[in-house]
Amino acid sequence: MAKLQTMRGLQNFISEIRATNGKEEERARVDKELAKIRKKFSGSGNVSDYDKKKYVWKLLYIYMLGYPVEFGHKQASDLIAAGKYAEKQVGYMACSILLSENDEFLRLVINSIKNDITCRNEAFQCLALNFVGSVGGSEMATLLTTDVAALLTNGSVRPIVRKKAALALLRLLRKSADSAEEILPPEIWSKHIAALLSEPEIGVLLGATALLLGIVSRSYTGFEACVPKLVAVLKRMRAREVGPDYTYYGIASPWLQVKTLRVLQYFPAPEDAGTKRTLNEILKKIINSNEPVKNLNKNNAQQAIVLEAVSLALAIESEPDVLRVATGLLGKFIGMREPNLKYLGLESLMRLVDVPAVAETINKHQKSIIGALKEADISVRRRALDLLFAMANAENAQDIVKELLTYLTIADFSVREELVLKTAVLAEKFFPDLHWYVDTMITLIERAGEFATKDVWHSTVQLVTNHEELHEYAARQTVEALKRGANHDAMVGAATAIVGEYGELVAHETSNEDQFEMLNQLFLSASQEGKAQLMTAFLRISLREGLDPSSKARIEAVLEKHKRNMDAELQTRAVEYGGLAKNPDVGRRNVLPLPHWDKRKSLLMRRLAETQGEQAEKSGTPKAEAEAAETPTAVNGNGIEKQEEAVEEEPAPQPEPEPIPEKKQDDELDLLGIGESSSDANGLPKPSNPLDELLSGMALVPSSAPPPQQPPQYQPQQQQQYQQQYAPPQQQYAPQAQYQQTPNPQAQADPFAARSPASEAASPHAPQPPAVAAAMAAGSGSAPGSPLSQSGSPSGGGQDMVHYQQPASPLGPAPPQVLGNVGEWFRRLTAADSGILYEDTYLQVGVKQGFQGPSGQIQLYLGNKSAALTLGRLICAVPPLPSFAVQLGPVPPLLEPLKQVVVTLSFTAVAPFRDPPRLQLGYLLPGGAGGASQSLALPAVVTKFIAPPMQPPPPQLFFTHWRSFPGPPNKVTERVVRDSPLSRGAIAAIVGALRLADLQGFDPQPDNFVATGSFCFAPPGMAPQQALVLVRVEVDVGSHRQFQVTVASPDAQVAPAVLRLLCLHLAGTPSA
C-alpha cells in the first residue's frame, strides 16, 4: 500500500471521481479515462511495468464502481510474470477479479503460476496459491494438482503456505474431472492428512480439515484412520490449547470445532471403544456447557458448535443420555426469542423425532412447539407445523389436532392449505373413535373454508359411507354445520354427499323440507361444480318417501329453471334429473346409493406428497409417511380404520351404470375429467380417484332441450386480420361420423369467456340415436352406450373437457380436425393466465402460465380425448430464438387414451423481441391414419414481460419522455375501428390485463387513456435491464368505436409489439 500512495495519477483520478456531481458526470469522467488507458495499451510504444500497474489499478477501481471493463486483461495477465512483488500482486488481483475460471487468458499464465508455486519465494507462493484457490478451473486442476500437493506435504514449508496449499488443493479437487480417489489415493493421502491433523499450527489444521471435508463428502472409504486424529483435535479445542490469534470471545477456534464435528458426521461411529468413549464425553461436555451469555457473538459461536454436536450425536447414534440432553437443549432454543435459534432448534428436533429414546423428551416441549406457530417468521411457523405433524402419535394426536384446529382460524393464508391437509392426515391416522373423527373433520372443513381441498371431504365421505353406524350421526353434524352458516365449496361437497345420501335418517329432527331449504340457500353462491353437486342432492331429496308436495314442486322448479343454463353440465343434469324427479319409481331404480369402499389408498397422504413436490414412493419425507401413502386401509374389529401392510389390490368395481365424472376444481388444470392429471411428464400413470365419479351423479341421457337464445354476433374485419397472423393453416378433412358436434353459441357470444369444448359436445343440436330418444320418452335411465355429457373450462371452474366419443369407423380413425379458432384462443391467453391453446378431434392443449420480470413459465396440459386411440410420436418443441432462453421439460413419446400429461416450458427474455416463440406440435394416429402437425404461437408475448411502475411518475416526466420519441420505429400509431362501442371500463380492463399501469388524470381529455410500464429482459452474463413503454389511447368521444393507439419505447422491437397486442384486444373485445 505504500507504493499506492506514490501513484499520483491514480490518486488524482479517484479524487476527481469523488468530486463529480452526478452519475452522468461520473460516467463522462470514466469514459474519458477508459479512452486514455485504451490508447496507451493499444499504442505502438512499450508500456513500462509501473504504468501497467497504475493503469490496471485504475481499471480495477472503475470495475468496482460498476462499469464494464472489456480490455486490459492481457496487460493484467502479463503482470503475473513480472519479477517484482508489487507488479505480481496487482496482476494476480486483477485476474482474479476480471477473469473467470474458463477465460482464455488464464491459459497464458498457467506456466507463470506453476513457476511461482515451485519457487522458493514464500510471498510468490502465497500469491499463486490464493489465485488458484479463487479461480482455479479444470485445466489448472490437470496441470497444477501435483505441485500444490507436493507443497502441502513438504514439512519444511512454513505453515501459512501449507494452509493456503490445502485450500488450493480443495478447489482443484472440486474442479477436476477425475474422482477424488484418482487424485488423492486413500492409501497414500490418509497418512498425509492424518499427519496434517497432528500439526500444532491451527491454520494448518483449518486447511487440512476443510480438505478432508471435501474428500469425505464424496466417499470416506480409506480415511477411517483420520477419525482418532479428529477426536484428538476436538479434545485439544475443549482444553483451549490454542493461541490468542485463534480464540474468539474465549472460545477456542469455533470454526475449527464446527468443521471437525461436521467431518465426523460422514464417518460411522468409531469402532475403537476408547475413541468412542472420548467422543461421547466431548459431545456431552459441548452440549452441557452451552450457557447463554449477554454477548451475541459469543452466543452465536457456542450455538453453532452445539448444533453440529447434536447432528453428530444423531449421526453416530450416540448414547441415549447424550441425545436426551441434546433434545432438552434444543427445546430451550425453541423457547428463546431469536427466530434463527427457534428455526434451528425445530430443524434439529425434526431429525431426532424418529429416535425412540427421545420421543418422550420431545413431547415435553409440545407447548413450546405449538407456541412457535404464532411466530412472525413464516419459516419458523412452517417448521413448527412440520415438527408437530412428525411427532404426532396415538397418545398426543388428539391434543395436537385440537391445537391445530384452534390455530387454523388465525393462521396465515400461505400455510392454511398445508395446515388443513396435515390436520386431516393426523385425524385419519390416529382417530380414537369414529364419532371423534367425524366431529373433527366437519369442524376442519367448516373452519378451513376454501383451503380445504377435495381430498379432505372425499376422505370424510368415504369413511362415513363405509360405516353404517355413522350415517345418522354424520348427517346430523353436517346439518348443524349448515345451520351455523358454512357455505364454501368444500362444505357444499360434503353436505351434498352426506345430507343428500343420509339426510332422511335425521328427517325427524330436521325435516326434508328444511334440508332442501338449507341446501337451496347455498345454490346461488356455489361454484359451477357445487351447483352440479347440489342438483344431485336435490334429486335424492325429491325421491324420498313422504316429501311435501310443495317442496317437491320447488325442486322441480329449480331443475326446470336450469334446463336452459348456459353451462352444458348444469343444463344436462337439469334435463335428466327433471325427468327422473317426475317419475319417482324409475328414479329410485336408477339412482343408486354410494357404494361401500372395501379397501382404498389414503387420498390425503397422496395429496400431501404431491403438495410437497414429490410422489410418496420417491419422496424424502419420513419413512412412515411414504409407507402410509401406499398403504390400504382396512377395518378392525372395533370398526376403526387403521393402516395395515400394503396390499396390491384396487377397489372392486361397483355394479352400477357408468357415472358422470365429477368436475375438478383444484389448483391443477384438469382438461380430461379424469379427476387429476392422470400421468406425469414421463407418461407414467397416477392412481385414480374413483370418488369423483360416484359423487357426481348417474349415467343419464343427454339433454334434448331447445337451444338458448343468443344475442346477435359481430366479427370486425380488423379482428380477423390480427387473428389470422397467429392461426395455423386450416386443413380440410372428410366429415365426421354420426355424432358430429356443432359450435357452442356461448363461445361466439362471449369471446373473452373460456371456450368449453364439452359445451359443444352436449349441444342440443347433436343428433341422438333412436335408443336414447326412446329411453327419454320412457323416462328410464341412460340407454346402453349413450354418450355422457362432461363439461369443462380450463380457465373457469376447473371442469372436465371430454367430448362425446365418435363411433369407430370401419376404415380406421378419421383424420384430426381443428375444433375452433386458434387465433382467438391465442388472443385470450395473451391477457389471461390460463385457457385453451389448441384443440382438435383427438388432442386438447391447455395452458397455465406465470411471468415475473424477464422470466416466465408455461405449463402445457396435453390431453388425449379419445377413449380408444393412443397418440404416437408426440412432438412438442420450441425452435430456438435469439431473444429467448428456453428450457423444455420432458415430453412422453406416447399419449394413452383419456390420459393427460404436463409439459413445462421455462422462458427468459434475453433481448427485446416482436414476435413470440412458437410451439411445434404434432402426433400420429395408429394404423397409418395420419396425424396432426401445427405451429402455434405461444402466449409469451412482449406484454407478459412488462412490469408496471411501483409508483406513478409525475405527468411532466411522462410527457417529457413522450416528446423525446419523434416517430417510427420508436413511436408507432395505428387506428382501430369497431362495429360496437367499447366502454371505459372495458378499455381499462384491457390495459390492466396487458400489465400496463393506467395513469388516470394524465391526459387532458378524460376519455383518453395514458399508461406505462417497463419491458424486462436479462442479457446473458449481465444484470437484468428494462425498456420503458409509454401508451396513449385516444377515444372518439362521440361513438367510442374508433381509437387511435400510440406506443412509444426506446427499443424499436417493443413498441410495435405492444401496439399490435393493444389493437388486437381493442378490436376483439366484446361490448359491455
Side-chain angles (χ1 to χ4, degrees):
M1 295 302 296
K3 291 291 184 183
L4 283 178
Q5 295 176 1
T6 64
M7 293 184 182
R8 287 303 236 184
L10 177 61
Q11 290 182 1
N12 293 338
F13 174 64
I14 295 175
S15 299
E16 292 173 6
I17 290 293
R18 292 177 177 176
T20 55
N21 295 324
K23 194 67 177 176
E24 295 299 327
E25 188 176 345
E26 178 186 289
R27 177 179 289 277
R29 181 65 185 89
V30 168
D31 289 342
K32 179 181 177 181
E33 192 65 31
L34 287 174
K36 174 184 174 182
I37 299 173
R38 187 190 297 270
K39 183 178 180 181
K40 288 286 186 180
F41 283 165
S42 59
S44 57
N46 294 329
V47 182
S48 66
D49 288 345
Y50 172 82
D51 288 337
K52 282 184 183 178
K53 178 178 65 173
K54 180 178 65 174
Y55 293 141
V56 170
W57 277 123
K58 287 185 178 182
L59 291 177
L60 283 177
Y61 183 72
I62 291 172
Y63 184 81
M64 289 168 58
L65 292 177
Y67 297 96
V69 175
E70 300 173 351
F71 66 95
H73 301 163
K74 182 180 183 303
Q75 287 75 12
S77 60
D78 290 343
L79 288 174
I80 293 179
K84 296 181 180 179
Y85 178 83
E87 284 80 7
K88 194 178 289 288
Q89 179 193 31
V90 67
Y92 275 120
M93 183 178 296
C95 289
S96 63
I97 294 175
L98 300 177
L99 304 180
S100 65
E101 62 182 62
N102 297 320
D103 201 291
E104 293 292 333
F105 280 108
L106 290 183
R107 294 183 178 179
L108 304 177
V109 299
I110 290 181
N111 192 51
S112 299
I113 297 172
K114 184 181 180 70
N115 292 336
D116 288 340
I117 291 176
T118 56
C119 74
R120 293 182 176 274
N121 190 318
E122 293 179 352
F124 290 0
Q125 289 177 334
C126 289
L127 287 175
L129 292 173
N130 282 341
F131 184 76
V132 172
S134 301
V135 229
S138 57
E139 194 166 353
M140 287 190 186
T142 304
L143 301 174
L144 301 179
T145 300
T146 304
D147 298 321
V148 175
L151 199 60
L152 175 62
T153 56
N154 189 347
S156 63
V157 178
R158 289 183 60 190
I160 187 173
V161 180
R162 299 173 71 191
K163 170 188 173 182
K164 295 179 182 297
L167 298 178
L169 186 59
L170 175 60
R171 168 85 180 194
L172 298 178
L173 178 66
R174 291 170 175 169
K175 297 298 179 179
S176 175
D178 300 327
S179 63
E181 292 78 5
E182 295 175 356
I183 301 173
L184 305 176
E187 59 273 11
I188 299 174
W189 274 91
S190 61
K191 299 177 182 179
H192 289 320
I193 293 182
L196 291 173
L197 293 174
S198 303
E199 286 282 339
E201 173 62 35
I202 302 298
V204 178
L205 286 177
L206 279 167
T209 309
L211 176 60
L212 181 59
L213 181 60
I215 296 173
V216 299
S217 61
R218 302 184 180 187
S219 174
Y220 69 86
T221 305
F223 291 91
E224 292 85 349
C226 297
V227 172
K229 300 293 184 181
L230 292 168
V231 175
V233 172
L234 280 179
K235 187 176 181 181
R236 178 183 168 189
M237 293 300 102
R238 300 312 298 174
R240 300 186 180 180
E241 298 176 3
V242 296
D245 292 342
Y246 291 96
T247 301
Y248 183 78
Y249 289 96
I251 304 174
S253 188
W255 307 279
L256 180 56
Q257 293 191 55
V258 168
K259 282 185 180 293
T260 306
L261 291 167
R262 188 168 297 173
V263 171
L264 285 170
Q265 294 175 35
Y266 286 95
F267 291 97
E271 298 180 357
D272 181 67
T275 304
K276 187 173 184 180
R277 182 174 59 255
T278 303
L279 182 57
N280 280 321
E281 291 175 355
I282 293 173
L283 293 177
K284 193 178 298 184
K285 289 180 180 179
I286 292 175
I287 295 172
N288 285 328
S289 63
N290 185 55
E291 293 296 333
V293 295
K294 292 184 179 180
N295 190 289
L296 181 61
N297 293 327
K298 185 174 182 179
N299 268 339
N300 289 340
Q302 287 180 342
Q303 289 152 3
I305 297 171
V306 168
L307 289 170
E308 290 295 340
V310 172
S311 299
L312 177 57
L314 181 62
I316 65 173
E317 299 179 357
S318 186
E319 299 174 355
D321 292 342
V322 176
L323 295 177
R324 278 192 286 268
V325 173
T327 304
L329 181 61
L330 294 174
K332 292 181 181 179
F333 284 179
I334 298 174
M336 293 183 179
R337 298 178 59 182
E338 292 84 353
N340 289 338
L341 273 183
K342 284 181 180 288
Y343 181 87
L344 292 172
L346 294 168
E347 179 77 21
S348 300
L349 283 179
M350 275 289 295
R351 301 177 60 190
L352 287 166
V353 76
D354 291 328
V355 181
V358 299
E360 185 177 350
T361 308
I362 294 178
N363 289 335
K364 292 179 181 178
H365 301 286
Q366 180 175 315
K367 186 176 180 180
S368 299
I369 299 171
I370 292 173
L373 290 172
K374 302 175 183 178
E375 276 291 317
D377 193 329
I378 182 63
S379 59
V380 175
R381 297 200 298 270
R382 287 187 181 276
R383 189 53 63 200
L385 177 60
D386 293 341
L387 180 55
L388 284 172
F389 179 76
M391 65 185 284
N393 53 46
E395 297 178 357
N396 61 12
Q398 296 179 57
D399 295 333
I400 291 177
V401 169
K402 181 180 177 181
E403 293 291 344
L404 293 180
L405 287 175
T406 303
Y407 171 65
L408 177 59
T409 57
I410 61 172
D412 190 84
F413 284 0
S414 59
V415 299
R416 282 200 181 185
E417 183 174 349
E418 182 182 1
L419 174 60
V420 170
L421 191 56
K422 290 188 173 180
T423 305
V425 170
L426 293 180
E428 182 183 71
K429 289 175 65 177
F430 301 112
F431 59 86
D433 60 76
L434 293 172
H435 291 83
W436 180 90
Y437 176 81
V438 171
D439 292 339
T440 300
M441 296 302 289
I442 294 296
T443 303
L444 177 63
I445 294 172
E446 184 178 0
R447 295 183 182 180
E450 300 301 331
F451 294 95
T453 62
K454 291 169 61 175
D455 290 318
V456 175
W457 68 267
H458 280 190
S459 298
T460 307
V461 172
Q462 285 181 350
L463 187 136
V464 171
T465 305
N466 279 358
H467 299 86
E468 186 174 354
E469 66 274 20
L470 279 180
H471 293 175
E472 180 178 347
Y473 183 79
R476 182 181 298 110
Q477 296 302 105
T478 306
V479 168
E480 292 299 323
L482 292 176
K483 290 180 179 178
R484 291 192 292 268
N487 60 357
H488 46 79
D489 281 352
M491 180 56 72
V492 169
T496 53
I498 296 176
V499 177
E501 186 78 17
Y502 310 117
E504 191 173 9
L505 301 177
V506 294
H508 59 284
E509 301 174 3
T510 304
S511 64
N512 293 326
E513 293 76 13
D514 291 340
Q515 293 178 29
F516 168 70
E517 288 294 339
M518 287 188 292
L519 294 177
N520 193 33
Q521 290 176 1
L522 306 176
F523 197 87
L524 289 177
S525 61
S527 63
Q528 297 296 93
E529 178 183 11
K531 289 178 180 178
Q533 295 165 349
L534 285 166
M535 283 187 176
T536 303
F538 293 165
L539 174 61
R540 293 185 182 277
I541 293 176
S542 69
L543 299 178
R544 293 178 184 174
E545 297 287 350
L547 181 66
D548 183 77
S550 62
S551 297
K552 185 176 180 63
R554 290 189 61 191
I555 293 176
E556 293 177 355
V558 171
L559 298 176
E560 182 68 27
K561 175 182 177 181
H562 290 281
K563 286 183 179 180
R564 294 178 178 271
N565 195 293
M566 296 297 293
D567 185 270
E569 175 71 14
L570 298 183
Q571 181 189 106
T572 304
R573 291 198 184 208
V575 172
E576 295 169 344
Y577 291 176
L580 292 175
K582 293 178 180 178
N583 196 338
D585 293 336
V586 176
R588 294 188 185 100
R589 289 198 305 268
N590 287 274
V591 180
L592 304 179
L594 293 178
H596 187 277
W597 295 85
D598 294 330
K599 291 182 179 179
R600 63 178 174 82
K601 295 181 179 180
S602 174
L603 299 175
L604 296 174
M605 290 302 299
R606 189 186 70 211
R607 178 66 177 176
L608 180 61
E610 291 173 357
T611 57
Q612 293 172 344
E614 51 197 1
Q615 295 298 330
E617 64 270 15
K618 300 178 181 178
S619 70
T621 55
K623 184 178 179 181
E625 296 179 23
E627 291 177 351
E630 297 299 326
T631 304
T633 305
V635 181
N636 65 9
N638 299 323
I640 300 176
E641 296 180 0
K642 299 295 181 184
Q643 300 295 341
E644 293 185 351
E645 296 295 329
V647 179
E648 295 296 330
E649 182 175 349
E650 295 296 328
Q654 303 299 329
E656 67 171 21
E658 180 183 1
I660 302 175
E662 182 71 15
K663 296 177 291 182
K664 181 180 182 72
Q665 186 172 13
D666 208 339
D667 55 350
E668 288 188 0
L669 199 65
D670 184 14
L671 302 178
L672 287 181
I674 306 172
E676 61 180 10
S677 178
S678 56
S679 64
D680 57 18
N682 296 316
L684 299 176
K686 294 183 180 179
S688 63
N689 184 2
L691 187 64
D692 272 339
E693 302 176 357
L694 292 172
L695 293 180
S696 60
M698 293 61 64
L700 302 174
V701 293
S703 168
S704 60
Q709 297 296 324
Q710 300 296 331
Q713 303 300 312
Y714 69 92
Q715 184 64 32
Q717 183 178 1
Q718 192 166 12
Q719 179 185 1
Q720 296 179 356
Q721 175 184 354
Y722 281 112
Q723 291 174 349
Q724 288 172 0
Q725 181 174 0
Y726 297 104
Q730 302 293 323
Q731 303 180 19
Q732 298 298 327
Y733 298 105
Q736 294 290 313
Q738 182 179 0
Y739 295 110
Q740 175 68 38
Q741 292 91 12
T742 58
N744 181 12
Q746 177 189 6
Q748 300 175 7
D750 187 6
F752 257 138
R755 178 179 177 274
S756 174
S759 301
E760 300 177 6
S763 172
H765 298 289
Q768 299 177 354
V772 176
M776 284 293 292
S780 61
S782 62
S786 63
L788 304 178
S789 168
Q790 307 178 27
S791 69
S793 171
S795 59
Q799 300 171 352
D800 303 337
M801 292 195 170
V802 177
H803 299 275
Y804 292 126
Q805 295 304 316
Q806 309 271 344
S809 170
L811 302 178
Q817 182 177 3
V818 179
L819 299 181
N821 189 331
V822 179
E824 174 63 13
W825 290 334
F826 171 84
R827 182 187 71 82
R828 295 176 190 164
L829 284 172
T830 60
D833 292 330
S834 60
I836 296 176
L837 180 66
Y838 170 80
E839 183 177 7
D840 61 23
T841 317
Y842 304 99
L843 179 70
Q844 185 183 75
V845 183
V847 166
K848 287 185 75 173
Q849 54 187 334
F851 291 83
Q852 184 174 9
S855 302
Q857 187 179 84
I858 293 179
Q859 289 182 318
L860 301 175
Y861 290 76
L862 309 178
N864 184 351
K865 303 192 299 181
S866 172
L869 301 179
T870 296
L871 306 184
R873 293 194 181 181
L874 187 61
I875 298 174
C876 190
V878 178
L881 290 174
S883 301
F884 287 92
V886 184
Q887 185 174 359
L888 177 66
V891 181
L894 301 175
L895 191 55
E896 297 178 354
L898 291 182
K899 292 296 179 67
Q900 174 181 313
V901 297
V902 181
V903 178
T904 302
L905 285 167
S906 298
F907 293 91
T908 299
V910 299
F913 63 94
R914 182 175 300 188
D915 296 321
R918 302 191 73 88
L919 174 70
Q920 303 298 329
L921 180 70
Y923 64 87
L924 293 179
L925 294 172
S933 177
Q934 298 285 352
S935 177
L936 306 172
L938 288 169
V941 293
V942 65
T943 53
K944 295 290 186 180
F945 300 91
I946 287 181
M950 299 290 291
Q951 294 182 350
Q956 300 84 354
L957 181 62
F958 177 91
F959 286 104
T960 299
H961 286 295
W962 181 265
R963 288 189 290 269
S964 67
F965 302 109
N970 297 99
K971 181 186 282 187
V972 288
T973 302
E974 188 164 342
R975 175 169 291 187
V976 178
V977 180
R978 294 173 48 89
D979 293 342
S980 57
L982 199 61
S983 67
R984 178 177 179 84
I987 302 175
I990 293 173
V991 172
L994 297 181
R995 298 172 174 251
L996 295 166
D998 182 11
L999 304 178
Q1000 299 184 11
F1002 275 42
D1003 198 290
Q1005 172 55 252
D1007 288 337
N1008 293 348
F1009 276 79
V1010 174
T1012 185
S1014 296
F1015 171 76
C1016 304
F1017 61 101
M1022 300 176 61
Q1025 301 182 21
Q1026 295 184 345
L1028 184 65
V1029 179
L1030 306 177
V1031 174
R1032 189 181 188 191
V1033 180
E1034 299 175 75
V1035 184
D1036 180 18
V1037 180
S1039 65
H1040 279 261
R1041 297 181 181 179
Q1042 300 185 41
F1043 311 92
Q1044 181 165 303
V1045 185
T1046 306
V1047 180
S1049 175
D1051 191 277
Q1053 299 288 333
V1054 173
V1058 175
L1059 176 70
R1060 184 169 60 190
L1061 287 168
L1062 274 169
C1063 295
L1064 174 66
H1065 284 279
L1066 288 173
T1069 302
S1071 301

